[in-house]
Amino acid sequence: MGEELEAVDPQERFQEFFKTEKYRQRISQMAVAGRTSLIADFEDLLIFDQRLAEELRERPDEHLKHACNAAYAQLQTEDPEYAERMAEKEEAVTVRIVRLLETAQLRKLGSDHIGKLVMVEGIIVRSTPVRPMVMRAAFKCKRCGEVTLIDQTGQFLKAPFACKNPSCVGAKRLFDFVQEESTFIDSQELRMQERPEDLPPGQLPRALHVKLVGSEIVDVARPGDHVSIVGIIRAVSSTLPGVGKLRTFMLHVETNSIEVLGKEPEITLPSPEDEEKILELAKDPWIHRKIINSIAPSIYGYDHIKEAIMYLLFGGVPKSLPDITIRGEMNALLVGDPGTAKSQLLLYVTRIAPRGLYTSGRGTTAAGLTAAVLREKGGGMSLEAGALVLADKGIACIDEIDKMRPEDRVAIHEAMEQHTVSVAKGGIVATLNARTAVLAAANPALGRYEPHRTIADNISLPVTILSRFDLIFVLRDVPNKELDDKMSEHILEIHRKGLSPVEPPIASELLRKYISYAKGIKPVLTEEALRRLKDFYLAMRSASESEGSPVAITARQLESLVRTAEARARVALRKEIMAEDAEAAISIMKRSLEEVGIDVTSYKFDIDILMTGKPKSVRDKLQTALSTLIEMERDTGMVDKISLLNELEAKYKIPIDEGERLLGQLLREGTIYEPQGGYVKKT
Ligand SMILES: Nc1ncnc2c1ncn2[C@@H]1O[C@H](COP(=O)(O)OP(=O)(O)OP(=O)(O)O)[C@@H](O)[C@H]1O
Ligand SMILES: [Mg+2]
Ligand SMILES: [Zn+2]
């Protein structure tokens, strides 16, 4: 009986499928778009002929060929002229299947999938530039000049065995590859990884190698993009020279189609029951307090930090003006003594955020925090996305940010304000999106936080990075009898019972949904709220003006205030930013400024002094030291410290010991570095 079923020619069945209205239309549009691909929805095929669809999934090599031939045959009927033109150029129609009904999980791919058509979803972490690949290679005989064409498959370029010319008899195979007479096709390789939000808690992401061949599918996705790929799973083993092939094989996917998916995490709307719960919660006048109390309940105290985390989770509204865009995501930094639960808070945020990613300053991959151009094993370069790109539209929790790589120190400036990461290296030029909120933690440079020193002295991060944080908090571990008493009781209670002594008012599952829901709201400033923010800003500006300090708080802080107020309105699911939101934003900003050692009541503060910890005269001297260094670098590359100090004394009358302090400051800021002992160089 099975024989009879076999008798149906698959190619004919495919052609019947392409004769349906939808596909006739798609085929006739191919010429207009100048395309050679025909997109076919798997679901359509399944409805048309379930058996054929299943065959295609099980034996894609054979059936895709039938499908492509059928599509070309149908093109000959729909648009004979275009079919003719394609034939002249030796082009074929490629049928590209999209949206299989089920996605295969990256971490479940195995030997069962080899040779099968599967759909996988994930995030692109690495890509090579588009490279031409030879499809048909032309070889010219060195003896008689005859050209032989060889169709290429496999990894290596294959030369002919013998010359095609019968009168040319030579024992040696000597050929030249002729590029102009060979045909090439665009190819690219990608590395795809499980999305941060799909990752089982505490697991490292798995990756899959992706091969793309064909000008219509290369260069579609960039690192950081979320994609859905349909393709055939292949297994190859690598060859060890002189030994043979390895018995274990590596999996990769040979791409048939690739689609870039929307980047919004959890686009799925909450169920009606969940929505009801969310709306009910939002009515509570104490909703802000309730959420703060639900954040990391096992961690004692730190209410103001939990409040800041709440704002960070909800975020402000990004503004895209015709000429510029302003980020909506907030950045917060926790600087603190060892053992003050910074890492715990960060890990908690990773779990609760709709898309959260935890990494250390050094990064967990070669790409670090931003991006890197890497040299591949087989030669050639590839671009790899770092943590901030992978967490696009989510929250990146960066622990020990002060220990980040020097390359990231440069690139993170752009990432944290413009929300892009630009790369131009090794022939790769790209700009990747990094619309990421950052929650970072750092230890004080001197081991413990020294309250009488400025924040810039306390942490080894340059001022330019510090100023990109909307809020900075200091966590100090100072003995305090009353607090220690309560806290130890709290911690010991956790250890005794194995669960939190305080039940969160909102369960984390619901809180996560609540955040996703709130992110759809775009609150706007009311007159009243706007006036409060403006008054506060102007009061501080004028206070520093009368002091005669050169730079007061900057427009950055004003934008931070707006973001915080927006986030607070979102928490209550309000479309309007009220005076109370503005007040709360002002008060947490004041708290943050106070924490870093500023007397807020007198309004006398100067972000410049706060961040750099030095009055104008010192800044001028630093500038002098730096420009002298740059001047001297022109002659010698790197500069001997001793000669720099002598120069500063001779030319600008800066005493040696002061010069040494200035260099120390520049070193700590990362403006200059020591390429080798006794020498300095500008970063
Ligand atoms: N306020 C607190 N409430 C409950 N537990 C706390 C509190 N502070 C510290 N701990 C506990 O102390 C331990 C150390 O915390 P954690 O590792 O997060 O510190 P850290 O600030 O990251 O330190 P380091 O700077 O050395 O990395 C954790 O087990 C944490 O639960
Ligand atoms: Mg830690
Ligand atoms: Zn020859």
Side-chain angles (χ1 to χ4, degrees):
M1 286 296 119
E3 292 298 300
E4 259 172 337
L5 286 170
E6 286 296 314
V8 186
D9 178 13
Q11 185 172 328
E12 271 169 36
R13 271 311 271 167
F14 273 115
Q15 197 169 346
E16 276 167 50
F17 173 58
F18 292 136
K19 279 192 173 119
T20 55
E21 194 46 41
K22 182 170 175 181
Y23 287 92
R24 282 190 55 198
Q25 219 167 32
R26 282 196 188 173
I27 288 172
S28 52
Q29 279 160 1
M30 282 170 62
V32 186
R35 297 180 68 97
T36 57
S37 308
L38 172 66
I39 307 289
D41 295 279
F42 188 75
E43 199 174 357
D44 293 342
L45 186 65
L46 201 68
I47 293 167
F48 175 80
D49 184 338
Q50 190 181 349
R51 200 182 127 93
L52 189 68
E54 270 156 21
E55 288 273 302
L56 172 71
R57 211 166 41 188
E58 286 301 307
R59 286 185 290 157
D61 281 311
E62 193 186 323
H63 281 73
L64 275 174
K65 230 174 257 156
H66 291 314
C68 294
N69 291 340
Y72 184 75
Q74 191 56 29
L75 180 67
Q76 283 178 311
T77 345
E78 296 296 334
D79 192 341
E81 212 178 297
Y82 188 59
E84 185 60 29
R85 258 190 289 152
M86 280 182 65
E88 271 165 26
K89 285 193 275 177
E90 293 193 51
E91 285 173 345
V93 175
T94 312
V95 175
R96 302 200 184 278
I97 312 289
V98 295
R99 269 160 262 153
L100 299 199
L101 289 190
E102 60 218 58
T103 23
Q105 269 188 294
L106 257 179
R107 59 178 56 232
K108 299 262 167 69
L109 285 181
S111 39
D112 290 349
H113 296 91
I114 296 172
K116 306 278 164 68
L117 193 71
V118 299
M119 177 165 83
V120 277
E121 287 180 1
I123 183 167
I124 299 302
V125 291
R126 197 189 290 177
S127 73
T128 65
V130 174
R131 296 189 277 227
M133 184 166 90
V134 194
M135 294 305 282
R136 177 170 296 167
F139 290 93
K140 193 182 218 161
C141 175
K142 278 199 171 185
R143 195 181 287 233
C144 72
E146 179 81 29
V147 170
T148 310
L149 296 176
I150 303 285
D151 284 335
Q152 300 289 323
T153 52
Q155 242 181 318
F156 302 99
L157 188 65
K158 278 190 299 246
F161 285 110
C163 181
K164 202 170 67 168
N165 182 357
S167 58
C168 170
V169 278
K172 281 233 170 110
R173 298 188 290 145
L174 285 172
F175 297 96
D176 282 328
F177 174 65
V178 194
Q179 191 183 320
E180 302 82 67
E181 290 179 45
S182 302
T183 33
F184 289 87
I185 191 162
D186 286 335
S187 75
Q188 187 179 29
E189 293 185 18
L190 304 174
R191 201 167 172 76
M192 176 164 133
Q193 200 174 68
E194 289 176 294
R195 284 177 289 203
E197 61 261 43
D198 292 343
L199 218 56
Q203 297 269 5
L204 285 175
R206 300 276 175 88
L208 180 67
H209 197 81
V210 177
K211 293 195 177 179
L212 304 162
V213 176
S215 57
E216 282 165 24
I217 53 172
V218 297
D219 238 358
V220 170
R222 290 180 303 169
D225 280 345
H226 291 229
V227 296
S228 168
I229 287 177
V230 174
I232 305 173
I233 298 294
R234 301 279 187 213
V236 286
S237 78
S238 40
T239 311
L240 295 184
V243 183
K245 286 199 177 256
L246 291 176
R247 237 183 90 199
T248 44
F249 284 61
M250 302 277 282
L251 293 184
H252 71 259
V253 59
E254 186 182 296
T255 307
N256 174 249
S257 77
I258 178 167
E259 282 188 303
V260 175
L261 304 172
K263 293 266 230 146
E264 306 302 326
E266 295 193 7
I267 343 160
T268 46
L269 290 169
S271 66
E273 304 91 77
D274 282 337
E275 186 169 7
E276 201 176 305
K277 277 191 222 156
I278 288 169
L279 294 176
E280 190 56 41
L281 272 175
K283 280 192 210 137
D284 189 334
W286 292 101
I287 181 63
H288 294 95
R289 178 96 324 252
K290 240 184 174 165
I291 290 183
I292 293 167
N293 288 345
S294 304
I295 291 176
S298 306
I299 291 172
Y300 181 82
Y302 299 136
D303 277 7
H304 60 296
I305 291 173
K306 292 182 181 178
E307 183 180 345
I309 288 177
M310 170 175 78
Y311 297 142
L312 198 96
L313 283 166
F314 285 80
V317 184
K319 320 275 177 345
S320 278
L321 312 177
D323 48 347
I324 55 166
T325 54
I326 303 169
R327 69 181 160 97
E329 292 77 11
M330 299 181 56
N331 302 321
L333 173 66
L334 310 177
V335 190
D337 294 341
T340 44
K342 298 182 297 297
S343 300
Q344 296 283 22
L345 283 167
L346 260 56
L347 282 168
Y348 172 83
V349 171
T350 320
R351 282 197 297 268
I352 196 84
R355 177 182 291 154
L357 192 146
Y358 177 89
T359 178
S360 83
R362 290 189 198 283
T364 38
T365 63
L369 299 179
T370 52
V373 171
L374 307 174
R375 190 171 292 281
E376 294 193 324
K377 258 189 251 137
M381 301 295 216
S382 69
L383 173 63
E384 181 163 322
L388 289 178
V389 177
L390 298 185
D392 187 28
K393 297 251 170 178
I395 299 184
C397 297
I398 309 173
D399 211 346
E400 329 232 331
I401 192 173
D402 47 327
K403 297 180 188 66
M404 72 180 137
R405 307 175 310 159
E407 302 93 291
D408 283 334
R409 273 182 189 251
V410 179
I412 204 166
H413 287 91
E414 179 195 350
M416 284 180 69
E417 196 69 72
Q418 274 65 47
H419 275 182
T420 51
V421 172
S422 302
V423 183
K425 202 177 155 195
I428 293 180
V429 179
T431 298
L432 308 174
N433 282 321
R435 292 157 292 186
T436 314
V438 173
L439 176 62
N443 282 117
L446 308 160
R448 287 203 154 246
Y449 197 86
E450 304 261 356
H452 56 275
R453 291 183 189 233
T454 63
I455 185 90
D457 272 344
N458 264 299
I459 176 175
S460 48
L461 278 179
V463 181
T464 43
I465 293 180
L466 285 180
S467 72
R468 278 163 170 77
F469 286 100
D470 300 271
L471 296 167
I472 300 177
F473 295 102
V474 176
L475 293 85
R476 293 187 54 214
D477 187 16
V478 276
N480 172 321
K481 191 163 182 314
E482 199 186 334
L483 207 71
D484 288 347
D485 186 55
K486 283 199 191 123
M487 172 134 124
S488 56
E489 203 167 288
H490 178 100
I491 294 180
L492 292 172
E493 193 70 355
I494 293 177
H495 282 269
R496 190 164 70 91
K497 288 199 190 136
L499 41 91
S500 180
V502 250
E503 192 62 23
I506 306 170
S508 51
E509 222 13 73
L510 183 59
L511 182 55
R512 204 180 158 130
K513 288 178 185 153
Y514 191 102
I515 296 168
S516 291
Y517 188 86
K519 283 202 157 228
I521 297 169
K522 296 197 166 55
V524 285
L525 283 167
T526 57
E527 270 310 309
E528 180 64 13
L530 191 141
R531 207 172 46 76
R532 304 257 174 126
L533 293 182
K534 191 176 163 196
D535 287 351
F536 175 71
Y537 182 67
L538 291 182
M540 288 198 297
R541 286 294 279 201
S542 62
S544 49
E545 196 178 283
S546 59
E547 286 290 298
S549 40
V551 184
I553 76 157
T554 67
R556 274 230 170 97
Q557 277 71 40
L558 184 58
E559 286 180 356
S560 299
L561 285 169
V562 175
R563 277 192 280 272
T564 313
E566 283 167 348
R568 193 175 182 279
R570 263 186 178 171
V571 176
L573 305 185
R574 263 192 276 108
K575 290 198 180 65
E576 287 193 322
I577 301 165
M578 320 281 272
E580 56 169 295
D581 300 321
E583 288 302 337
I586 290 169
S587 106
I588 194 138
M589 164 80 65
K590 277 188 182 170
R591 173 77 197 246
S592 166
L593 292 168
E594 258 169 5
E595 294 248 319
V596 291
I598 290 301
D599 176 17
V600 196
T601 43
S602 66
Y603 272 153
K604 270 187 210 151
F605 50 81
D606 171 348
I607 280 288
D608 211 37
I609 292 186
L610 159 74
M611 291 296 189
T612 58
K614 53 215 170 201
K616 192 164 177 310
S617 60
V618 177
R619 281 202 311 277
D620 287 347
K621 279 187 190 154
L622 282 170
Q623 192 49 49
T624 308
L626 189 61
S627 46
T628 312
L629 171 65
I630 295 171
E631 190 74 14
M632 291 171 73
E633 261 180 35
R634 255 184 236 139
D635 299 328
T636 54
M638 56 185 171
V639 177
D640 177 6
K641 248 195 207 168
I642 310 281
S643 12
L644 177 59
L645 290 172
N646 288 338
E647 178 85 1
L648 285 173
E649 186 174 37
K651 243 192 182 161
Y652 303 100
K653 306 204 166 43
I654 297 177
I656 298 284
D657 58 336
E658 190 180 353
E660 255 174 305
R661 250 180 290 130
L662 292 173
L663 292 191
Q665 173 76 33
L666 288 171
L667 276 170
R668 243 177 298 139
E669 285 174 4
T671 323
I672 65 174
Y673 69 103
E674 280 179 290
Q676 66 185 67
Y679 287 87
V680 284
K681 200 168 177 355
K682 188 176 178 303
T683 318

